[in-house]
Amino acid sequence: PIASFTCVCAPLPTATANMSSARPFPTRQNLQIMKLKLVGAKKGHSLLKKKADALTMRLRALLTTILKAKEAMGKAFKDGNFAMAEVKYAAGDIKSAIIESVGTAQKRVETRVDNIAGVKVPVFKAVDMADAPVDYTGLARGGQQVTKARQTFSACVDTLIQLATLQTSFLILDEAIKVTSRRVNALDTVVIPRIAGFVDYIVSELDELEREEFFRLKRSQDKKKKDLQLAEAERLKEIAADDAGSLIGGGDDPDVIY
């Protein structure tokens, strides 16, 4: 039997609904706050854009340097293997003798932090310690080849440490560029349009309130004018009625003396 399934999909909340539910109350103070936020968001977008461009330029320069360092590392290891073959040909297997003659490391790695457009990247540096005397006791011949091989592999270590610095910086800068680009896109497509929408909404609401206030004041003034006109008409009617009564049955006229 084939079972039938019914998929019920609920409507997802839209960005307009989220924006309308989070709209600030339309006041002059909120309008000023939103304008300041909009200026700050645009300034932050400009700074992050410049940072992303600077990191991208540094990343491209690092990429070129990494390619050159890899080529140098390949050549250095090739020379080192050839020097090691010469040592084995001249002195035979000297691994145990060399291991016994080494007491401390002759190269150390120092680490410092470099700041690239606000991004901290580690920088490794090879430091040569005091050269310890090499004991070639037990070696019938091949001392010169051993010294040459030692110098060649020392150069290989320097190149390897340089490449480690470049690779680490490349990875850190690549991740920083991704994060900065996401922030730039978020400001450009979400934050700035939302704040601009809030500003337009508050301005339109304040204009509507001003129109309503103007209409209310105009209605009030018209009503006051109408009341004044009615009061003036009543006063004129009373004056006319008083004048008509004095002409018809007026009071006693004063005597006229000739």
Side-chain angles (χ1 to χ4, degrees), residues 129-148:
M129 309 302 291
D131 291 338
V134 180
D135 186 11
Y136 296 115
T137 304
L139 296 179
R141 59 190 182 277
Q144 185 178 0
Q145 283 77 10
V146 171
T147 303
K148 180 181 177 182

Side-chain angles (χ1 to χ4, degrees), residues 86-224:
E86 288 182 347
V87 169
K88 288 184 178 180
Y89 177 77
D93 189 7
I94 60 171
K95 180 178 179 181
S96 58
I98 295 297
I99 292 176
E100 290 177 0
S101 64
V102 174
T104 58
Q106 297 181 6
K107 278 188 178 292
R108 301 289 177 88
V109 178
E110 289 185 354
T111 305
R112 63 181 178 86
V113 178
D114 193 8
N115 194 339
I116 303 175
V119 180
K120 295 181 179 180
V121 295
V123 178
F124 307 119
K125 180 182 179 182
V127 179
D128 293 326
M129 309 302 291
D131 291 338
V134 180
D135 186 11
Y136 296 115
T137 304
L139 296 179
R141 59 190 182 277
Q144 185 178 0
Q145 283 77 10
V146 171
T147 303
K148 180 181 177 182
R150 179 170 169 269
Q151 294 175 354
T152 305
F153 277 102
S154 177
C156 290
V157 172
D158 293 339
T159 307
L160 191 61
I161 292 174
Q162 180 188 4
L163 184 60
T165 300
L166 296 174
Q167 288 282 96
T168 306
S169 301
F170 183 85
L171 293 176
I172 293 176
L173 288 181
D174 185 50
E175 186 64 26
I177 289 174
K178 290 179 182 178
V179 173
T180 306
S181 299
R182 285 197 293 266
R183 291 176 180 175
V184 170
N185 293 334
L187 285 173
D188 192 19
T189 59
V190 178
V191 178
I192 293 178
R194 185 194 307 174
I195 298 177
F198 288 160
V199 171
D200 295 339
Y201 165 72
I202 294 175
V203 169
S204 63
E205 289 295 322
L206 290 178
D207 291 342
E208 184 67 24
L209 290 175
E210 288 180 358
R211 286 192 292 269
E212 290 178 0
E213 184 68 15
F214 177 76
F215 181 74
R216 186 184 66 81
L217 291 175
K218 187 175 181 181
R219 289 287 300 272
S220 178
Q221 290 177 358
D222 292 343
K223 186 174 183 304
K224 287 181 180 180

Side-chain angles (χ1 to χ4, degrees), residues 11-24 190 194-195 198 201:
L12 296 175
T14 59
T16 306
N18 294 333
M19 287 179 59
S20 62
S21 62
R23 281 177 178 173
V190 178
R194 185 194 307 174
I195 298 177
F198 288 160
Y201 165 72

